[in-house]
Amino acid sequence: MKEPQIIVIGNGMVGYKFCEKLRSKTSSFNLIVFGEEPRRAYDRVHLSEYFNGKTADDLSLSTENWYQEQNITLFLNNPIVKIDRELQKVYTASGLDYHYDILVFATGSGAFVPNIPGIEKEGVFVYRTIEDLDLISGYAKKAKTASVIGGGLLGLEAAKALIDLGIEKTSIIEFAPRLMPRQIDAAGSDMLKSKLVDLGLHIHLNKNTTSIEGDGRITALKFSDDTALDVDMLVISAGIKPRDELAKACGIEVGPRGGIVVDQKMQTNDPAIFAIGECALYDGMIYGLIAPGYEMAEVLAANLCEGEKTFTGFDMSTKLKLIGIDVASFGDNFITEPDCRTITFENKHKGVYKRINVSNDGQYLLGGILIGDATAYNLLLQTSNNRIVLPENPEELILGARGGSEPAGGAGITGLPDGALICSCEGVSKGDICAAVADGSCENIDDLKKCTKAGTGCGGCLPMVKDLMTYTLKSQGKYIKNVICEHFNYSRQELFDLIHIHELKSYDEVLDALGKNDGCEVCKPLVSSLLASLWNEMILKKGNDVAQDSNDRFLANIQKGGSYSVVPRVPGGEITPDKLIVIGEVAKKYNLYTKITGGQRIDMFGAHLNDLPIIWEELIAAGFESGHAYGKGLRTVKSCVGSTWCRFGLHDSVSFAIRIEERYRGIRAPHKFKSAVSGCIRECAEAQSKDFGIIATEKGWNLYVCGNGGSKPQHALLLATDLDSETCIKYIDRFLMFYIRTADPLTRTATWLNKMEGGIDYLRNVIINDSLGMAAQWENEIENLIASYKCEWKEAVENPAIRKRFSHFVNAPEDKDPTIEFVEMRGQKRTAEWKTVQ
Amino acid sequence: MNEQSNWLAACRVEDAIENGGVCVKHGEDQIALFYFTRRNEWYATQNECPHKKQMALSRGMIGSTTDEPKVACPFHKKTFSLSTGECLSGDECAIKTYPVKIENGTVYIGTTPKS
């Protein structure tokens, strides 16, 4: 028998989700999808990330082969232009026709474009598709000023995009008296507005645009209050309009203000035709969020597979990060006295506004609004949705319990019923998540995402999913201990203390005393790092060389092909002409490729193992020392030129950077760490992207900690302000020792802080208020490390037993590895490509 | 049984590195020689890691998993059994292993591979 044929019109997020849901339930049905856009369904929720470097491919929801693998026929760039309901046929723009047994509208919505005179002018855009974004970014190159009409969610996103595109002056025009009028109240809007103004946006509320001026091309906007604004370009983001034109044309019932009318089963007035997502009108409402769209897709897919699901409306609570600012609303956010009692909290200094609406009897949470800090969102939403009886002092929900800094989180999730919907995008309940953890199939967040799909939509529920996982594991008596490997049944921190107490000095001693069997490539470098952090002895002595990672073992970074790089320390990036000449001469003599590094020093690549000692001998003779580019320790302390030359400089950032780099050089840590010192707030040294960064102020130094560049950039957080140099160094001493003692292996400071309970407040308390009573000990320990510093390379070249190991062949010590190959590029050598593996 | 007719005198026992590897030149070939002092065992394998064709295994860390002696390539930490040459990190191909004997303080490698 021939399979019934389903045709889906629209390949947006909801259309795609429908296909995914249907195929996860059944392989029957011929499934054909028609998309109007030229690309596969992509993540429109995160569209603005396209401007932050994400590619269309990154945003794509599926892989290229997915449709084929799922046995779905996909037509892109091929809109349906006509439907014949009697013949049950659709007609494509390319002139083909297809029969349907079931027709699904997933046509979504288009941008609502108000009928303003001049709207057709060049330089006026909408913000809806990747193509729109391409047009906007092209035009923005020659624009200096821009406006966005619409102060809702998308409008703010569009404004952020314009700032990112380098527009000097971006303004937002909103008709209503407040921003995000559907989500937040006037007080919330005021708070949001002041934060946006801080970011350089100009906000005009209560503005009714009456015309778009310009000769062919936009030059200005005119408003009903007879004011005007000069702009080079305009983005319209004034709301959405359901794409119902096709349905309307074939006689399907649509609402008076648009939208294809559907019932609880997403069925239209034609029993063979359904509509889901933003084109569907249910109970007089268009659901312009992704979660209800996915729910509609689920309802329809289930019913087509003989399920019995209905759509009965959807919670429109949302939490989002707008331009880095948390904005959330949940439940009945606008209800006011006398129908409820509201509790509000406002901190203009930090830009935080919170409001909760509590039932008159004080029993239940009805809804609320959060601006600037939405960490409590998940818990508040659950409390409201599940009608959990409120504590005696409901204000603690937004203020935290008085007298303790513990956030009201732990007790919260335990109180939720199993049916509580945690991930509303994918419809995953607390019970689903806990069950997946309890049956042993998931013990980490990645497994959990794969197995339950929780957190794979907007991702907003992930913190709560994580808490639930930890809570379930704990309640099963599973202590999540990060043991190092099969040879050591300890965490890094435990091993650190044990080695200290037992005063063990070599890997073999540690293995004999605390471990078992022969060790491996995981525990060896870890123990070596601990030994170095504790005793700071030459890392290649006492047989520890074979327990070092290969870079540490040869005090150089192994490169593609098997050659090594040589990086002398250049503290603070300051170097004399004579030393520059030495580097040039050494590089020339040993035929090394040279490149300036991101840390303000010079990398020399392509050294043979055999040549390393002689190269270093020459560098050391010229006054250089090891740069520890190979070690898990301090890399560089970058600096701007500071007050000695710069007309803006407040303090001598170079001298301070040199002092810091020389203080912490050679100290081994769980991972590498980097620093920088900027001489003023212009922050040319990029100190806020470092593990610890220092910025000069009028009164001293501001100290930032736990920043990171790399693949997951994270801004450093302000630990203390206006410090004198000595106090600044004292805090860094404590910070580094705390990190060295407690971080998991290969964990950078940013991740370390992210995992720390209590976060930056806790860290600040430990470092500044000495809440653990460890400060004196740490300061003492780091003084010992600093006092015992020696240049490793100096020791290596002067010690014949160590030096002997820098040869490639044991039976031909003079011969270099003949397999190392270089090729020429731009007047220098480079390594040959990886040889292909057959 | 292995019929070894070609024994290469690789180095003296004291030239080998305890609990680590050295590289032995054998004409155009390179052999990694490991002195697993902790187990009082000697192993020899090809020096080239098959993953990215790098002459690097002699510079790798050795150790064991359960009781299997292994070496980890310094480039990407692929691990190989020292006794059988089998790749222990999934699907990479195996490495050649060679017999080793000690006579009068000299380490000899049988240059016909065991596997």
Side-chain angles (χ1 to χ4, degrees), chain A residues 322-337:
Chain A
L322 267 176
I323 323 188
I325 305 165
D326 279 345
V327 177
S329 68
F330 61 93
D332 198 343
N333 43 343
F334 290 139
I335 185 171
T336 51
E337 276 96 3

Side-chain angles (χ1 to χ4, degrees), chain A residues 486-487 511-512 517-519 521 524 549 553 559 561 564 808-811 815 817 819 834 837-838, chain B residues 10 15 17 19 23-25 30 38-39 51 53-55 59 62-66 70 74-75 77 79:
Chain A
E486 63 180 88
H487 307 105
L511 185 59
D512 287 338
N517 297 339
D518 311 310
E521 72 282 0
K524 282 183 171 182
D549 240 328
R553 181 174 174 190
Q559 306 294 341
Y564 287 85
H808 185 66
F809 292 115
V810 67
N811 55 345
D815 290 8
D817 181 357
T819 65
W834 299 116
V837 182
Q838 63 274 50
Chain B
D15 291 331
I17 295 177
N19 291 314
C23 175
V24 177
K25 185 175 179 142
Q30 301 188 15
R38 198 171 174 85
R39 299 162 65 106
H51 172 221
K53 304 257 167 200
Q54 302 286 307
M55 284 297 182
R59 296 178 203 171
I62 59 173
S64 64
T65 175
T66 54
K70 62 171 180 175
F75 274 87
K77 295 272 163 71
T79 56

